Amino acid sequence: MKFFLDTADLGEIEKAASWGVLAGVTTNPTLYARTGGKLADFHNHIKRICEIVDGPVSAESVAMTRDEIVRDARELAALAPNVVVKIPTMIEGLAATRTLAKEGIPVNMTLCFTVPQAIMAARAGARYISPFVGRFDDISEDGLEQLSQVVAAINNYNFSENTVRGEQVEIIAASVRSAHHVTQAALMGADIATVPFGTLKKCVQHPLTDRGLDAFMKDWEKVQNA
Ligand code: E4P
């Protein structure tokens, strides 16, 4: 499983990129708003992320009709070669994805919650599908169970004839809120987990690692003083 960072914060992206495990970034309008960014700076902000990250960077269209989404997507895709256009899983979004896939523009279909949505996204030609986990948990439903159903269903078929350049569609476990979500996403075979910065940090931490490191350091001090 690959790790993407789910943020628009340049500082977080620079730090995570330096750790050597960052394979991509996903942003959304909320995450950009959280940086205090203005509309006029949005395209430059995405360009900057694309320079830092060696991998796909999802930038979301906020248009609501097929033609507007396609127009938006073409502009976003022209910003950098690693831009992936993020489009909500809805009828107009599917139609736009079909057009964009034929043009060779990779799409990440977002706000995906069900197996039929995921299969339709793949058939439309999405390069990535983002089933959300945490938002199911927020309404007291089992987000991991929903994700596992999407992974199993998508893996039943070969969608490569639908996607850009014949690449296989990849599932991004999204709305990930904990290391437990990451563990379960990996066990069920999600291709990617897109993880907020704080959660990504927690994924590398363990109290037994800290305790072990502490003991090694203390014992090494004894060796130096022997
Ligand atoms: C997906 O790409 C979204 O940006 C993201 O994972 C949403 O997560 P949230 O439900 O924590 O806002």
Side-chain angles (χ1 to χ4, degrees), residues 6 26-28 31 86 110 130 132 135 174-177 194:
D6 197 25
T26 51
T27 68
N28 66 34
L31 294 171
K86 215 174 178 192
T110 189
S130 293
F132 279 39
R135 292 194 192 186
S175 187
V176 161
R177 308 270 173 82
T194 191

Side-chain angles (χ1 to χ4, degrees), residues 178-196:
S178 65
H180 174 66
H181 281 167
V182 173
T183 303
Q184 296 306 313
L187 288 174
M188 62 184 74
D191 303 289
I192 297 153
T194 191
V195 185

Side-chain angles (χ1 to χ4, degrees), residues 86 110-113 130-136 143 146 172 174-175:
K86 215 174 178 192
T110 189
L111 289 173
C112 174
F113 292 90
S130 293
F132 279 39
V133 176
R135 292 194 192 186
F136 266 119
Q146 299 291 339
I172 305 179
S175 187

Side-chain angles (χ1 to χ4, degrees), residues 12 14 16 31 71 122 126 150 154 162 177 181 183 188 203:
E12 291 182 350
E14 272 164 2
L31 294 171
R71 200 175 318 128
V150 169
I154 290 294
N162 299 90
R177 308 270 173 82
H181 281 167
T183 303
M188 62 184 74
C203 284

Side-chain angles (χ1 to χ4, degrees), residues 5-223:
L5 194 63
D6 197 25
T7 188
D9 184 305
L10 296 177
E12 291 182 350
I13 294 167
E14 272 164 2
K15 274 189 205 142
S18 74
W19 300 347
V21 295
L22 190 63
V25 163
T26 51
T27 68
N28 66 34
T30 305
L31 294 171
Y32 181 60
R34 224 174 260 167
T35 68
K38 296 186 176 65
L39 180 61
D41 301 329
F42 179 60
H43 282 183
N44 276 339
H45 194 88
I46 295 295
K47 273 191 194 172
R48 184 72 196 106
I49 297 175
C50 289
E51 285 164 9
I52 303 169
V53 181
D54 186 15
V57 173
S58 288
E60 190 153 343
S61 165
V62 288
M64 293 300 287
T65 66
R66 188 198 81 111
D67 290 351
E68 285 168 1
I69 297 169
V70 168
R71 200 175 318 128
D72 222 10
R74 287 178 184 146
E75 278 179 30
L76 290 169
L79 296 175
N82 49 338
V83 165
V84 169
V85 183
K86 215 174 178 192
I87 298 177
T89 312
M90 56 181 186
I91 289 171
E92 297 290 314
L94 289 170
T97 297
R98 188 88 205 109
T99 303
L100 295 165
K102 284 186 187 152
E103 291 180 16
I105 295 177
V107 171
N108 171 4
M109 290 221 86
T110 189
L111 289 173
C112 174
F113 292 90
T114 69
V115 169
Q117 283 182 316
I119 292 180
M120 290 172 98
R123 282 285 167 227
R127 175 66 180 79
Y128 302 93
I129 304 170
S130 293
F132 279 39
V133 176
R135 292 194 192 186
F136 266 119
D137 297 351
D138 292 345
I139 58 161
S140 303
E141 286 190 36
D142 188 345
L144 286 170
E145 173 56 25
Q146 299 291 339
L147 173 65
S148 77
Q149 289 186 10
V150 169
V151 171
I154 290 294
N155 287 340
N156 278 340
Y157 305 99
N158 180 359
F159 294 102
S160 55
E161 77 273 17
N162 299 90
T163 56
V164 177
R165 296 181 287 273
E167 293 159 327
Q168 187 54 278
V169 61
E170 289 184 274
I171 296 173
I172 305 179
S175 187
V176 161
R177 308 270 173 82
S178 65
H180 174 66
H181 281 167
V182 173
T183 303
Q184 296 306 313
L187 288 174
M188 62 184 74
D191 303 289
I192 297 153
T194 191
V195 185
F197 184 75
T199 309
L200 191 66
K201 235 173 139 178
K202 282 187 189 146
C203 284
V204 75
Q205 292 166 337
H206 195 276
L208 290 178
T209 305
D210 295 342
R211 200 192 297 175
L213 186 58
D214 196 45
F216 287 156
M217 298 312 280
K218 283 190 179 125
D219 287 338
W220 196 242
E221 233 175 82
K222 287 181 203 159
V223 172

